[in-house]
Amino acid sequence: MKEPLITEELIKDHGLTPVEYGRIVSILGRVPTFTELGIFSVMWSEHCSYKSSRLHLKKLPTEAPWVIQGPGENAGVIDIGDGLAAVFKMESHNHPSYIEPYEGAATGVGGILRDIFTMGARPVASLNSLRFGPLSDPYHKHLFGGVVSGIAGYGNCIGVPTVGGEIYCHPCYAGNILVNVFNVGIVKKDRIFYGKASGDGNLIIYAGSKTGKDGIHGVTMASEEFTDDAQQKKPNVQIGDPFTEKLLLEACLEAMDKGLIVGIQDMGGAGLTSSSSEMAGRAETGVELELSLVPLRAEGMIPYEIMLSESQERMLLVVEKENKDALIDIFKKWDLDAVVIGKVGGDGFLRVNWHGKMAAEIPATKISTDAPIYDRPSKRPANQDALNTLDLSKIPDTINSNSCNDALRKLLSCPSIASKELVWQQYDHMVRTDTIVRPGSDAAVVRVKGTKKALAMSVDCNSRYCWLDPYLGAVHAACEAARNVACSGARPLAVTDNLNFGNPEKPEVMWQFIGAVEGISAACRALNTPVISGNVSLYNETKGEAIFPTPTIAVVGVLEDADKALTQWFKSAGDVIMLIGQTREELGGSEYLYVCHGIERGLPPAIDPEKEHLLHKALVELNGRGLLRSAHDCSEGGLAVTAAEATFGALIGAEIDMGQYSMRTDALLFGESATRVLISTASENAAEVMAAVEAAGLPITQIGKTGGDVLLIKAKGETLIDVPVSDLKSIYDTSLERGLNQK
């Protein structure tokens, strides 16, 4: 096939600006070949280069004594003691999942799993954060079913449990759904592997599935807005095979265990291009490839297609010559291709040959680390002040039990709060037999084999908060994810994030992005939870309509004694119920205002990350002393929803009296004041718990006791909530299914 001429139209089709193309010509000292144009196109795409975000990501805290590897590798790594480390990261597969929901979500899971075992870790648990448009839309029902099936199909087949996550439905995601996937693995501290092409003369080995034409320009597609032709991009979506990935995982871990690998990287976004150039860039070496040696499954492929293909389940390995045969034998045993396709060079160039003829010759660092960095203009949206204005005098206060009961029922039935058991039933969350706390509580907890320890993990983001105030919303996301982990009894240690935003070329979107990054930075510094890995997903827009800013945060913590894992549900009748934290008259951005009044305005609740840190430490200490029966984060839906959810585990009711509060009744019940946790403790421990929390500098109030089969909440001498627990749980359990089945 004759290569096309490099024209202005071809350059534009590759997503490159005239200035960027000029920079390419300057780097090469000549006009690029077609293959070189493709290489620069994918590596300088937003998805791979972070050219609009890198400047601001530098603000994030990334270091702590327990951080072994921060951002810049395939995944982040933290020391968890006992000679072990936890390896984790979160990634997005948003655009592919909107186009082809099953394969988009499945390959998202496959990609994040490879990021983890590339580091030498065995994956032990997955989470996800999913966002859809209204489920009344038939297409979003299709997307919902396809995405959930794709996550379940891939994760279940490879044998990695999906232990939790979150699902939100909102019109802002009608044109761009979000599929963010997280995985954590365990590795010995002295057996961590890195994506570096080290050692001049070492061999480059291609391992795994054959290369096809699927997924070409997938990362370019992920760096563009959607228009009316979104469905025409189906060829850009990769096709996954979890059974092959399972073989690849075992073969890689065996080769690592035998010390046969110098460097390793998965061929994910941008395929062979990103893996080869990034490995060379990190090691400050060069790589020479002969593409005629690459195993292909499609006839007539040209160098451009081979370098840009995003076919799944593939790895690039660097090995010493004397270990070549032993390594290839391992992959043959697992019925996988493993062939030498090149070598490490010492001059810093990525050289790509096709039957001995040069197809590309580029300084490796110019592709992988020297992409353009843009300081894009930012501007507060003109309507932001109006958006932040909330006149509560125009909203009738909920002051009687009938209206309060109805509001609670409505909140428990909305998709963002209702039980996700319909989804979790499709995930195998018990495979590997290490799951201690299953999906449904504040955080999932997974035992660390061979130790007394467990890992706790949670993912969170209230995107409405981030739309109303990106900084405050991001602080809330980081604090709530960490609070969820602390509610399991674990100490939050580190963060991975997935920053989902609209078009960064729009100053209003860039303002949202900068505010969110600064919010994450402030929260994580106060919480002492560095950001060790993550992903940025921009251009989540369709026809100019952007999603709400959605900086999804996942937090991992360590529970020193796995047998002390804490959950959100009341355990027995007669326990004392306490509320840690202060309830204020804060209704801005609340789920209550949206669900019951159709209002999305105001400001998110005030939040102090320093007090959050004190709360987390207090929860970990109290649980370590065996003083807590349950702990549940108070967030969406406020105190009433939190209390209702706490009754659902064993169908144990509660009688709560909030006393004489001088605020609106709806704010008391459904306001979402931050830094609050509903706890229960044995009556004989109540005084000790209160003393410990007060000593930590936090407010705590004894508000009731567990027992009976009704949720009863009183305040100001009136009964506000009085509903059988079984009725509330029925609404909570069946609402999502009813929404999906509604014609």
Side-chain angles (χ1 to χ4, degrees):
M1 172 183 170
K2 188 177 180 181
E3 289 194 349
L5 293 174
I6 307 299
T7 63
E8 287 185 10
E9 184 177 357
L10 188 66
I11 294 165
K12 184 179 179 181
D13 286 345
H14 279 70
L16 294 163
T17 68
V19 172
E20 288 171 344
Y21 179 72
R23 184 170 176 173
I24 291 168
V25 172
S26 176
I27 288 169
L28 297 175
R30 55 177 169 77
V31 172
T33 66
F34 183 47
T35 300
E36 289 170 337
L37 185 71
I39 288 172
F40 276 107
S41 168
V42 294
M43 292 304 295
W44 285 10
S45 69
E46 194 70 61
H47 187 84
C48 287
S49 73
Y50 291 22
K51 57 190 175 187
S52 298
S53 60
R54 267 194 293 171
L55 186 69
H56 304 287
L57 296 178
K58 294 176 182 178
K59 302 171 186 175
L60 297 173
T62 60
E63 297 179 349
W66 51 90
V67 174
I68 297 172
Q69 174 65 53
E73 262 289 346
N74 291 290
V77 187
I78 60 171
D79 188 339
I80 60 171
D82 294 317
L84 299 174
V87 179
F88 57 94
K89 188 183 181 185
M90 186 158 47
E91 271 279 6
S92 62
H93 237 217
N94 302 336
H95 283 48
S97 299
Y98 184 78
I99 297 167
E100 189 66 62
Y102 184 94
E103 292 298 346
T107 51
V109 173
I112 197 65
L113 289 171
R114 289 194 300 279
D115 282 339
I116 301 308
F117 71 77
T118 295
M119 302 291 292
R122 180 172 291 278
V124 297
S126 294
L127 303 173
N128 53 71
S129 174
L130 311 178
R131 314 274 166 148
F132 301 95
L135 294 182
S136 57
D137 183 333
Y139 189 60
H140 278 271
K141 290 179 184 177
H142 160 71
L143 292 173
F144 186 101
V147 166
V148 170
S149 295
I151 291 170
Y154 208 101
N156 294 355
C157 289
I158 199 171
V160 176
T162 301
V163 295
E166 59 172 9
I167 298 174
Y168 285 83
C169 298
H170 191 278
C172 78
Y173 301 108
N176 278 266
I177 67 172
L178 300 184
V179 177
N180 293 177
V181 289
F182 161 97
N183 187 264
V184 60
I186 302 294
V187 64
K188 292 180 180 178
K189 275 173 55 178
D190 59 355
R191 302 299 292 166
I192 299 167
F193 287 79
Y194 297 94
K196 294 182 179 180
S198 304
D200 190 4
N202 280 340
L203 302 179
I204 305 290
I205 291 184
Y206 171 115
S209 294
K210 291 179 170 57
T211 295
K213 294 187 178 184
D214 54 316
I216 293 174
H217 273 296
V219 296
T220 308
M221 173 194 70
S223 306
E224 300 171 340
E225 290 185 37
F226 276 151
T227 57
D228 289 324
D229 66 345
Q231 290 305 312
Q232 296 178 16
K233 297 181 182 291
K234 282 191 176 184
N236 297 130
V237 180
Q238 312 94 324
I239 307 298
D241 178 0
F243 299 105
T244 299
E245 178 122 334
K246 173 64 173 173
L247 299 177
L248 186 63
L249 182 157
E250 298 299 344
C252 288
L253 292 183
E254 182 179 341
M256 291 168 172
D257 187 57
K258 294 182 177 178
L260 302 177
I261 294 176
V262 173
I264 178 170
Q265 179 144 326
D266 109 87
M267 293 187 229
L272 186 54
T273 291
S274 62
S275 56
S276 58
S277 60
E278 287 174 0
M279 290 180 79
R282 289 191 194 107
E284 299 183 346
T285 58
V287 168
E288 185 172 332
L289 305 176
E290 174 50 67
L291 297 188
S292 64
L293 301 174
V294 173
L296 304 176
R297 67 166 182 261
E299 294 184 3
M301 291 187 72
I302 60 173
Y304 177 97
E305 295 170 323
I306 296 169
M307 287 299 290
L308 271 59
S309 168
E310 294 182 14
S311 293
Q312 296 292 286
E313 293 87 40
R314 302 179 301 159
M315 288 284 184
L316 200 65
L317 314 176
V318 176
V319 302
E320 295 174 346
K321 292 177 181 177
E322 57 268 27
N323 292 328
K324 178 196 72 169
D325 292 338
L327 183 134
I328 289 175
D329 285 345
I330 288 173
F331 281 86
K332 283 183 178 177
K333 183 185 77 172
W334 290 99
D335 200 24
L336 294 168
D337 284 317
V339 296
V340 177
I341 64 167
K343 64 181 180 179
V344 176
D347 62 359
F349 273 79
L350 170 66
R351 289 189 173 84
V352 180
N353 299 314
W354 178 241
H355 294 287
K357 294 184 178 179
M358 189 274 288
E361 188 175 69
I362 312 169
T365 57
K366 297 297 181 183
I367 318 169
S368 63
T369 58
D370 289 353
I373 297 178
Y374 294 128
D375 185 3
R376 298 201 185 274
S378 67
K379 177 184 177 184
R380 181 181 172 89
N383 69 335
Q384 199 70 32
D385 288 338
L387 193 63
N388 292 151
T389 302
L390 176 63
D391 185 358
L392 289 176
S393 67
K394 297 180 180 180
I395 302 167
D397 190 6
T398 306
I399 57 171
N400 61 69
S401 61
N402 285 336
S403 53
C404 291
N405 289 340
D406 287 344
L408 177 57
R409 291 185 181 102
K410 285 181 180 178
L411 285 165
L412 290 173
S413 65
C414 74
S416 300
I417 290 177
S419 170
K420 313 305 186 296
E421 189 172 355
L422 176 71
V423 173
W424 300 328
Q425 286 174 342
Q426 299 182 52
Y427 301 152
D428 188 340
H429 46 264
M430 294 304 293
V431 65
R432 295 185 55 80
T433 69
D434 293 326
T435 306
I436 298 171
V437 178
R438 305 180 186 190
S441 195
D442 284 341
V445 182
V446 176
R447 189 182 305 277
V448 179
K449 272 191 167 70
T451 75
K452 289 184 63 179
K453 290 184 169 71
L455 295 180
M457 61 208 76
S458 180
V459 60
D460 193 86
C461 179
N462 186 323
S463 59
R464 186 183 297 116
Y465 284 3
C466 297
W467 180 57
L468 295 173
D469 189 310
Y471 179 92
L472 264 181
V475 172
H476 273 277
C479 287
E480 185 175 345
R483 193 185 315 139
N484 288 337
V485 167
C487 282
S488 74
R491 176 190 168 206
L493 284 178
V495 161
T496 182
D497 58 23
N498 206 130
L499 309 181
N500 307 274
F501 289 80
N503 184 344
E505 297 168 49
K506 296 180 178 179
E508 294 81 5
V509 171
M510 207 63 217
W511 176 81
Q512 293 174 336
F513 182 85
I514 294 170
V517 170
E518 291 176 348
I520 294 169
S521 178
C524 289
R525 289 182 194 280
L527 300 175
N528 205 13
T529 52
V531 180
I532 64 166
S533 61
N535 177 58
V536 176
S537 175
L538 302 177
Y539 295 95
N540 289 290
E541 291 198 18
T542 295
K543 301 178 187 177
E545 292 294 322
I547 62 167
F548 281 178
T550 312
T552 310
I553 305 291
V555 172
V556 173
V558 170
L559 184 64
E560 294 298 330
D561 186 347
D563 293 335
K564 291 184 177 179
L566 194 61
T567 60
Q568 69 184 36
W569 303 290
F570 297 145
K571 301 302 186 297
S572 58
D575 285 345
V576 172
I577 301 171
M578 300 180 180
L579 179 64
I580 303 176
Q582 184 176 355
T583 302
R584 303 179 183 87
E585 189 169 284
E586 295 173 305
L587 283 172
S590 65
E591 198 74 11
Y592 163 75
L593 278 188
Y594 179 59
V595 171
C596 296
H597 297 285
I599 294 172
E600 294 183 287
R601 298 176 69 88
L603 284 168
I607 186 166
D608 181 348
E610 298 287 351
K611 285 189 177 178
E612 276 285 343
H613 193 212
L614 295 177
L615 172 64
H616 304 168
K617 290 168 68 175
L619 288 168
V620 173
E621 179 192 345
L622 289 169
N623 187 63
R625 290 161 58 183
L627 296 176
L628 299 182
R629 291 278 178 87
S630 70
H632 189 12
D633 160 47
C634 196
S635 54
E636 283 100 340
L639 174 65
V641 166
T642 302
E645 291 173 338
T647 69
F648 293 159
L651 294 181
I652 296 172
E655 183 173 333
I656 293 172
D657 191 336
M658 298 302 293
Q660 297 298 319
Y661 274 76
S662 57
M663 69 176 69
R664 292 172 59 104
T665 305
D666 51 5
L668 173 67
L669 292 175
F670 309 117
E672 297 171 358
S673 293
T675 321
R676 294 186 301 164
V677 172
L678 191 71
I679 63 172
S680 67
T681 183
S683 58
E684 61 268 24
N685 293 329
E688 189 175 352
V689 169
M690 290 195 75
V693 174
E694 289 170 350
L698 298 165
I700 182 169
T701 310
Q702 184 170 322
I703 61 172
K705 63 180 180 179
T706 62
D709 56 6
V710 171
L711 175 62
L712 184 68
I713 303 180
K714 299 177 180 180
K716 304 177 185 177
E718 296 185 39
T719 296
L720 303 176
I721 300 286
D722 186 359
V723 191
V725 170
S726 58
D727 289 358
L728 295 175
K729 190 171 190 302
S730 177
I731 294 169
Y732 181 76
D733 286 347
T734 61
S735 292
L736 187 57
E737 185 174 6
R738 286 201 310 273
L740 288 167
N741 291 336
Q742 189 176 2
K743 300 297 183 184

